[in-house]
Amino acid sequence: MGLFELDIIDHIARTDEGNPHLVMMATHWDIRVESLLTVALMIKVARYLVSEQANQGPGAPTFELVSSEQPPAPVVRWLEKLDILTTVDQAPATGRESPLPWKDNGHPNLNAMQQLNADLFARMHDLPRPASKEALSQVDEVLIVRRAREGFSDDEPSPDLADGALQILAAAYVGEALHEAGYQADWLFEPTVRGMVPVFLRLGGPEKNVRLNLIGKAGKFLRNGSGDSLSAIAVVGASRA
């Protein structure tokens, strides 16, 4: 269980009325990776809100984030807007200060957070900083190494391999590389989007509206190998923006 298990429903209970009560688990809020945790939370929240399990009761479902320590206060406020309760030790969370940029309307500043995540990925894997379009093949190499660490060759299917943190970080670096190359690149959050992870990159603004499912593509790379190359989807997307 945890925020990086992006597609997993951590726990399901029932209210006294028989409606589903869906619970997310957060084991920590390390300030050093707060941007990564926040993006993972956004994806997980969207999965919960539209999940099949949320509709298996006579009435409306309820949602809760159970955290082992105080989450950032902006996270608590954002979840409140979505009618999601946040608790620590079975009490409502009060939240702590956050160094991250949030928008004036109380929503996460995804562009800024993914820029931080791109920088984190670069530091972890010794990639160029700022992100470079010429280094995108190295992002693929990081994913190949991750598969090899689990014993999978490049063309060998690994249907159960998932690494939500790596997917978010790798996608962030690709997005930042396109931004640095001069493309209009914006990270968007659409909880009800179909066919892709609800945090995705849009190139070319609303006019071109080229949508790249980079986090989802990174997950497919982990499962299928380099035939689902992140660098390749970035090149194709850029050619259409």
Side-chain angles (χ1 to χ4, degrees):
M1 295 186 292
L3 296 182
F4 294 138
E5 294 182 305
L6 304 179
D7 297 316
I8 302 297
I9 302 295
D10 294 334
H11 179 66
I12 304 174
R14 291 280 170 181
T15 65
D16 292 340
E17 294 78 20
N19 297 316
H21 180 72
L22 277 63
V23 180
M24 293 168 275
M25 310 293 291
T27 56
H28 70 89
W29 283 98
D30 188 335
I31 199 169
R32 295 169 298 180
V33 292
E34 188 175 317
S35 58
L36 173 58
L37 289 163
T38 302
V39 174
L41 174 66
M42 295 175 72
I43 296 170
K44 191 128 183 170
V45 162
R47 297 295 201 209
Y48 269 58
L49 293 177
V50 301
S51 67
E52 179 182 342
Q53 292 90 336
N55 298 305
Q56 295 179 347
T62 54
F63 304 91
E64 180 181 358
L65 172 67
V66 175
S67 180
S68 60
E69 58 188 41
Q70 287 295 338
V75 165
V76 176
R77 292 192 293 268
W78 178 68
L79 291 175
E80 285 176 352
K81 291 176 181 288
L82 298 172
D83 293 324
I84 298 175
L85 175 67
T86 307
T87 59
V88 178
D89 294 331
Q90 299 183 320
T94 56
R96 59 156 173 79
E97 290 187 7
S98 170
L100 296 187
W102 285 70
K103 295 181 178 180
D104 292 340
N105 62 5
H107 291 288
N109 187 331
L110 257 178
N111 282 343
M113 291 186 187
Q114 284 294 73
Q115 185 178 34
L116 291 170
N117 288 334
D119 190 65
L120 175 60
F121 184 78
R123 285 187 277 115
M124 290 173 64
H125 300 287
D126 196 25
L127 269 62
R129 299 162 62 194
S132 165
K133 192 177 177 183
E134 289 69 34
L136 291 182
S137 62
Q138 297 179 53
V139 178
D140 286 348
E141 287 296 326
V142 170
L143 296 174
I144 289 172
V145 169
R146 178 67 178 85
R147 283 172 46 83
R149 197 162 71 234
E150 300 297 326
F152 296 104
S153 62
D154 184 43
D155 59 351
E156 183 180 359
S158 52
D160 297 324
L161 180 58
D163 188 332
L166 180 58
Q167 291 172 229
I168 293 168
L169 293 175
Y173 189 89
V174 173
E176 191 60 19
L178 292 173
H179 171 74
E180 290 290 338
Y183 295 94
Q184 183 179 354
D186 296 294
W187 286 97
L188 303 182
F189 173 63
E190 291 187 10
T192 58
V193 69
R194 293 187 177 274
M196 60 198 310
V197 174
V199 172
F200 58 89
L201 188 74
R202 182 182 69 190
L203 296 179
E207 296 79 17
K208 294 292 185 64
N209 196 31
V210 177
R211 297 182 170 203
L212 298 184
N213 184 24
L214 295 178
I215 297 173
K217 192 68 169 178
K220 290 186 70 176
F221 194 125
L222 290 176
R223 296 189 297 274
N224 301 328
S226 59
D228 281 297
S229 164
L230 271 181
S231 59
I233 192 177
V235 171
V236 170
S239 71
R240 297 174 178 173

